[in-house]
């Protein structure tokens, strides 16, 4: 037992957290399987790598700021007729993030835009990408208060360092001219450096309406759509079709 304690202490000193926490199981499995010295060392190294990868994924997912978990495995392709299986698989490959290419998911409420966006964000985190999620309303607030608010500074610093930026609910509320200029500056700064995924209920011809400036809308869309795919997601609202009630 003293040897195991010394080993566990040594693992802690070396930062081998997985081995420290699972030492007895590792030794038991090695004896049961009659592992060679090389196989035993390989099992330790493999365990540490898996553990660190899992922790890194959890950290990236937490820092991304998702409002709730959504998985691509739970996305109902049979309900979303606008997206083919081939397109869905291409999105899951995440090569568009490396481009970087932008992705605009447009359509009415309830058709799966946010589910798909968050699901892709989770998938990106699991594959080593740094992701930031933010609603348009929250983004505008962060941009307006960045110079004076530490929380906004931290969020904007992460956004600018991300491989993928997800901006949800673009166009749901109008923004002022000064806010529109801040949004334009951010899009310009991220152009061809960060993949941007937008969800919106507005067609391109309606962007002037919520930005209150035709020239600004054109300039923003010009940068967003230069390297971009747009998916028009139509159909019935999944939430309305699958409404849950607690009253019997």
């Amino acid at each position: 037992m003293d040897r195991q304690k010394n080993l566990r202490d040594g693992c802690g000193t070396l930062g081998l957290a997985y081995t420290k926490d699972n030492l007895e199981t590792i030794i038991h499995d090695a004896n049961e399987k009659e592992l060679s010295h090389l196989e035993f060392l390989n099992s330790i190294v493999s365990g540490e790598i898996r553990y660190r990868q899992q922790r890194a994924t959890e950290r990236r997912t937490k820092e991304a700021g998702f409002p709730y978990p959504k998985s691509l495995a739970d996305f109902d392709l049979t309900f979303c007729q606008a997206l083919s299986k081939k397109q869905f698989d291409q999105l899951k490959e995440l090569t568009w993030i490396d481009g970087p290419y932008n992705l605009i998911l447009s359509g009415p409420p309830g058709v799966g835009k946010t589910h798909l966006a968050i699901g892709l964000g989770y998938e990106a985190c699991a594959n080593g990408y740094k992701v930031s999620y933010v609603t348009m309303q929250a983004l505008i607030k962060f941009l307006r208060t960045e110079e004076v608010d530490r929380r906004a500074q931290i969020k904007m610093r992460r956004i600018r360092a991300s491989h993928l930026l997800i901006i949800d609910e673009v166009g749901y509320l109008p923004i002022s001219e000064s806010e529109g200029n801040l949004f334009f500056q951010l899009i310009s700064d991220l152009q061809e450096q960060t993949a941007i995924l937008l969800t919106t209920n507005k067609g391109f011809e309606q962007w002037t309406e919520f930005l209150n400036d035709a020239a600004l809308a054109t300039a923003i869309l010009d940068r967003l759509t230069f390297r971009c795919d747009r998916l028009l997601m139509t159909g019935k609202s999944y939430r309305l079709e699958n409404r849950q009630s607690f009253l019997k």
Side-chain angles (χ1 to χ4, degrees), residues 6 24 43 72 89 113 115 126 143 157 164 203-204 219 232:
N6 290 338
E24 290 183 6
S43 71
L72 292 179
D89 290 340
K113 301 185 302 296
H115 185 154
L143 287 169
R157 190 158 54 240
L164 172 63
F204 289 162
L232 181 57

Side-chain angles (χ1 to χ4, degrees), residues 60 94 97 119-131 164:
R60 285 190 296 269
L94 304 176
I97 297 178
L120 287 169
Y122 266 80
E123 191 76 11
C125 287
N127 283 273
Y129 294 98
K130 183 179 287 188
V131 180
L164 172 63

Side-chain angles (χ1 to χ4, degrees), residues 64 81 152:
Q81 302 286 327

